[in-house]
Amino acid sequence: FTSRRRRKREMTGGNSGYVCKVPGDAIKAHQQEAEQNLVDMEKFKILRERVRQCYREEGVNHQENCTEHVKAYAAALRNFQSKNNGL
């Protein structure tokens, strides 16, 4: 049952919802989606490191001076979770 579901998801192009006419297109769509997820994860690592660095540098004033970094990280995380159904 799960293999059928997995095969159906691959043939429809993952979460994108579009149906591929050629099986090779489904594989390419899946690879592109996986690559985009890796790029998004690297962005998270960079944003998270900026938040950590700001917290270390600012000390007790981090709530006032690090809000931009925290908001950017939170927005990127929400966007990623909405695209990937809460991963």
Side-chain angles (χ1 to χ4, degrees), residues 31-76:
Q31 287 175 343
Q32 286 177 346
E33 188 175 334
E35 288 174 5
Q36 186 60 42
N37 284 344
L38 290 174
V39 169
D40 289 341
M41 286 184 205
E42 288 300 318
K43 288 180 184 178
F44 290 141
K45 289 179 184 178
I46 292 170
L47 290 172
R48 185 173 42 227
E49 185 57 37
R50 286 182 185 167
V51 169
R52 286 181 184 162
Q53 185 177 3
C54 186
Y55 276 19
R56 283 188 213 122
E57 290 175 358
E58 297 299 330
V60 294
N61 297 326
H62 68 83
Q63 289 183 338
E64 295 174 3
N65 299 332
C66 298
T67 55
E68 294 174 12
H69 298 294
V70 173
K71 286 181 181 179
Y73 178 71

Side-chain angles (χ1 to χ4, degrees), residues 2 4 12 15 21-22 31 39 48-49 56 63 65 68 72 77-79 82-84 86:
T2 57
R4 264 191 262 149
T12 59
N15 293 333
K21 302 292 182 187
V22 180
Q31 287 175 343
V39 169
R48 185 173 42 227
E49 185 57 37
R56 283 188 213 122
Q63 289 183 338
N65 299 332
E68 294 174 12
L77 183 61
R78 277 192 303 272
N79 186 25
S82 68
K83 285 194 311 187
N84 294 302

